[in-house]
Amino acid sequence: MIRTVIIRITFFFTLGLIAISCQEEQKKRIPMPSTDLSKASLIPKPLKMVPTNSAFALDQFTAIYTPKSATGFEEVAHFLADKLKAKTALDIPVNGQNSNTIERIIYINQSDSLELDGAEAYQLYINQDSIILNANTAEGAFRGIQTLRQLVPHESNDTLAAQKIWPVPSGKIIDNPNFSYRGSMLDVARHFFSVEDVKKYIDLLSYYKINILHLHLSDDQGWRIEIKSWPRLTEIGGSTEVGGESGGYYTQEDYKEIVRYAAERYMTIIPEIDMPGHTNAASVSYPFLNGNGKTPKLYEGMRVGFSTFDTRKDTVYAFIDDVVREISEMTPGPYFHMGGDESHVTKKNDYIYFVNKVEKIVQKYGKRMIGWDEIANADIDSTSISQWWASEENARKAVEKNMKVILSPAKKAYLDMQYDSLSKLGLHWAAYIPVDTAYQWTPEEYGIPMENILGVEAPLWSETISNIDELEYLAFPRIIGYSELSWSTSENRDWDNYKIRLAEQAPFLDRMNVKYYPSPLIDWKQSRFSYKTIEKD
Ligand code: ACM
């Protein structure tokens, strides 16, 4: 094994120094406890794992190397070093020159192997002396380092060596996601969440390999994104929220910072401007948008389905053109979400006319349109994407149009549904969704052909939550299960096995100060937060 390592390293570096230190390392090898990779609490579960029942000793003599010429790999290596430092306090050098003290290496390797099929695929070879992470792209390497982070134990093992070591179970992991779209949605319109809150959510999601964050940026109760050509949207439309608190909005600089932070984690931001319904905040700001001739008032309640744009006015489309243009210019990802749900006071023909027109605007700015499942009633083309949340009839229409479908069935995947009848936060109009129900379904079971399924997204509507603790309470732990539903194959998913791995997430969630719901279905490894701390009386 050590020979293979040396050959691989010298292939990429002229670092005879490392080869020497690896040979020296044989002398210094620390006796390792046998650790079993197949028992590691990885979520989402990788495609294939082959344990070799030994361990890599992560310690102060470990270094990370990457090929400097491979785009993005060095940044991924630094990201790993930062996270390992936060977990272990070890200062692990990246592409350092001083190899005299290095005994073991983590090598993040750009590989063109055909076995690495897909941008997010990676292979991990964990030996006693080395960890080799192979990926075709930096994105694949980024997914791979999440697996490695999860394999590093939370506590060091101080009994085997003079210095602290963190034994990483040895073996081989071959991994690739089942679906390329693995997302969550955050409703920042009903209640506003700060840039810092969104960044924390992004950090947590990316640890579980979720690669999409859909931001619901406008609704009846609030408009949350600065549009320079229409400033009253945020001045007026952003001034309140459900319950009449102060509201808020992202400046364009804030939004760009969220996009940048997500991109650093290989996560795509999808902006949603919900229309023609769910538009009261826009119409309060600019009353000409409203089809009923009345000047609406700011709305702080929770009703839906009462607002609409005037779908037959050219000035409405000039407005939408500006909004889509300004947001698209700040959004490197390929998608723009136009909402399209619950437009109960828009006539059917007007709705179809509207969605058709908006699709053309979205395409003009180089984006692919996504809309809630109702949009399949319009004459849109197969490049647009339907987000299925409620109507099986609409899902069938989307498939007939050969559209891709994102699965967000409200009865299974809505993060704002209450866990049970005791939950104070959340709603239950679709269902109560305990942690097992959230996990035990398959994207394939809804009769939508596999080739039409883009992936899974778990939306978190925010009518009943107004701060990060409450957000975390509804999202965690269920979002962790949705990550496995969208990454792992159905053969690799099993509730009894999953709930043991989920219990082991408690130390990570605690370290990240996540106020998760400590579901009684799970035998949590440890839990700092009691059920009561977050419940509202
Ligand atoms: C929705 O829940 N109105 C998409």
Side-chain angles (χ1 to χ4, degrees):
M1 192 56 74
I2 190 88
R3 276 177 63 88
T4 332
V5 173
I6 292 169
I7 290 164
R8 279 177 184 269
I9 300 307
T10 47
F11 181 75
F12 295 103
F13 299 105
T14 50
L15 290 182
L17 285 170
I18 294 178
I20 291 161
S21 68
C22 283
Q23 285 162 356
E24 279 183 1
E25 184 268 337
Q26 280 184 312
K27 283 180 254 151
K28 295 183 192 168
R29 186 178 288 167
I30 298 164
M32 278 286 102
S34 67
T35 52
D36 185 351
L37 182 63
S38 68
K39 300 226 165 57
S41 293
L42 295 173
I43 301 180
K45 192 161 183 140
L47 192 58
K48 283 192 205 124
M49 289 199 279
V50 183
T52 50
N53 301 315
S54 177
F56 173 92
L58 179 75
D59 67 3
Q60 61 183 313
F61 304 114
T62 305
I64 304 175
Y65 290 91
T66 62
K68 286 193 166 168
S69 56
T71 313
F73 276 64
E74 201 167 3
E75 287 81 358
V76 170
H78 281 289
F79 189 95
L80 175 63
D82 288 350
K83 295 301 176 190
L84 292 179
K85 179 157 189 185
K87 187 166 186 173
T88 64
L90 291 171
D91 258 317
I92 300 180
V94 174
N95 289 342
Q97 296 301 314
N98 179 13
S99 54
N100 289 340
T101 56
I102 299 307
E103 296 175 6
R104 275 163 292 281
I105 60 151
I106 299 171
Y107 188 64
I108 305 180
N109 176 34
Q110 202 272 328
S111 161
D112 293 326
S113 162
L114 292 177
E115 285 175 29
L116 289 162
D117 181 19
E120 296 185 284
Y122 70 91
Q123 302 162 336
L124 257 177
Y125 295 90
I126 303 164
N127 309 305
Q128 286 197 329
D129 316 297
S130 67
I131 294 177
I132 312 283
L133 168 58
N134 284 327
N136 223 304
T137 65
E139 185 177 5
F142 188 80
R143 303 299 171 229
I145 65 165
Q146 307 315 315
T147 303
L148 191 49
R149 287 173 68 192
Q150 293 190 10
L151 287 172
V152 173
H154 294 278
E155 305 289 340
S156 62
N157 186 337
D158 301 341
T159 56
L160 293 164
Q163 78 278 5
K164 287 185 170 186
I165 60 158
W166 284 259
V168 178
S170 68
K172 173 168 119 178
I173 294 177
I174 309 286
D175 206 3
N176 205 2
N178 201 21
F179 293 109
S180 62
Y181 187 112
R182 307 178 303 280
S184 181
M185 185 209 79
L186 182 61
D187 172 9
V188 295
R190 268 54 174 273
H191 280 101
F192 183 65
F193 292 88
S194 69
V195 174
E196 286 316 304
D197 291 344
V198 175
K199 285 184 174 177
K200 184 176 180 194
Y201 196 42
I202 288 172
D203 267 331
L204 294 167
L205 296 178
S206 67
Y207 183 74
Y208 294 105
K209 302 190 177 73
I210 288 175
N211 64 351
I212 299 282
L213 179 62
H214 161 187
L215 292 175
H216 183 76
L217 291 166
S218 70
D219 213 301
D220 290 319
Q221 299 86 346
W223 184 285
R224 307 296 180 208
I225 176 79
E226 178 189 21
I227 303 295
K228 295 210 190 272
S229 49
W230 298 88
R232 289 161 62 91
L233 287 170
T234 43
E235 283 164 20
I236 296 173
S239 65
T240 191
E241 59 188 1
V242 168
E245 299 298 326
S246 58
Y249 65 90
Y250 304 122
T251 64
Q252 293 206 348
E253 290 312 307
D254 289 340
Y255 179 79
K256 286 181 201 163
E257 175 57 15
I258 292 172
V259 166
R260 186 203 63 75
Y261 194 82
E264 217 171 55
R265 287 148 185 78
Y266 292 88
M267 184 179 290
T268 299
I269 296 293
I270 300 182
E272 177 187 349
I273 296 298
D274 201 351
M275 48 194 170
H278 290 275
T279 44
N280 187 72
S283 294
V284 175
S285 313
Y286 295 101
F288 79 89
L289 293 168
N290 188 333
N292 64 15
K294 295 183 192 148
T295 300
K297 293 196 176 62
L298 287 167
Y299 182 65
E300 294 158 358
M302 283 171 41
R303 271 188 308 119
V304 298
F306 61 88
S307 56
T308 185
F309 279 164
D310 183 340
T311 61
R312 300 285 168 171
K313 227 189 230 165
D314 287 346
T315 45
V316 169
Y317 295 102
F319 165 85
I320 293 170
D321 192 288
D322 284 336
V323 169
V324 176
R325 174 178 50 77
E326 287 197 32
I327 295 177
S328 296
E329 278 169 5
M330 301 186 287
T331 306
Y335 307 114
F336 187 98
H337 200 306
M338 58 83 57
D341 58 322
E342 297 176 313
S343 291
H344 299 324
V345 294
T346 319
K347 292 199 184 77
K348 185 156 187 204
N349 283 346
D350 291 347
Y351 178 84
I352 291 170
Y353 179 80
F354 181 84
V355 174
N356 293 346
K357 296 264 290 184
V358 172
E359 183 189 52
K360 297 291 169 292
I361 296 171
V362 168
Q363 289 173 349
K364 177 171 140 196
Y365 291 109
K367 302 296 179 198
R368 231 175 130 174
M369 188 175 82
I370 306 179
W372 296 103
D373 63 43
E374 290 94 324
I375 64 160
N377 291 293
D379 304 320
I380 49 182
D381 65 44
S382 62
T383 58
S384 291
I385 297 162
S386 161
Q387 182 164 10
W388 179 57
W389 65 283
S391 158
E392 301 205 359
E393 169 75 8
N394 287 341
R396 197 181 48 69
K397 286 181 185 162
V399 172
E400 273 168 15
K401 292 189 160 77
N402 203 22
M403 296 167 73
K404 292 272 191 243
V405 179
I406 297 162
L407 296 187
S408 303
K411 288 179 181 3
K412 298 282 187 183
Y414 266 28
L415 287 166
D416 61 313
M417 290 298 112
Q418 292 171 319
Y419 290 97
D420 58 33
S421 61
L422 297 175
S423 303
K424 300 275 186 348
L425 298 173
L427 303 168
H428 59 262
W429 58 263
Y432 292 112
I433 308 184
V435 175
D436 52 351
T437 305
Y439 180 81
Q440 288 179 296
W441 59 284
T442 67
E444 299 85 346
E445 80 191 27
Y446 290 102
I448 300 168
M450 268 299 276
E451 59 270 25
N452 289 83
I453 302 177
L454 189 60
V456 176
E457 182 183 300
L460 179 49
W461 301 100
S462 64
E463 286 94 333
T464 68
I465 56 173
S466 59
N467 59 50
I468 183 80
D469 290 354
E470 294 173 348
L471 180 166
E472 290 168 357
Y473 183 81
L474 285 180
F476 291 90
R478 290 180 291 197
I479 189 66
I480 301 174
Y482 300 127
S483 96
E484 182 148 305
L485 265 163
S486 52
W487 179 284
S488 310
T489 56
S490 50
E491 303 81 64
N492 273 335
R493 297 196 308 264
D494 168 67
W495 166 252
D496 288 328
N497 177 276
Y498 171 75
K499 73 178 184 192
I500 295 166
R501 287 179 288 123
L502 182 58
E504 298 281 336
Q505 303 308 306
F508 169 73
L509 296 172
D510 285 346
R511 191 161 57 78
M512 297 295 287
N513 195 22
V514 175
K515 308 284 195 303
Y516 61 94
Y517 163 61
S519 163
L521 299 172
I522 307 298
D523 185 13
W524 296 102
K525 187 166 178 200
Q526 63 191 68
S527 186
R528 271 202 279 144
F529 306 106
S530 79
Y531 191 70
K532 286 273 172 260
T533 55
I534 196 74
E535 292 285 9
K536 284 176 175 165
D537 292 320

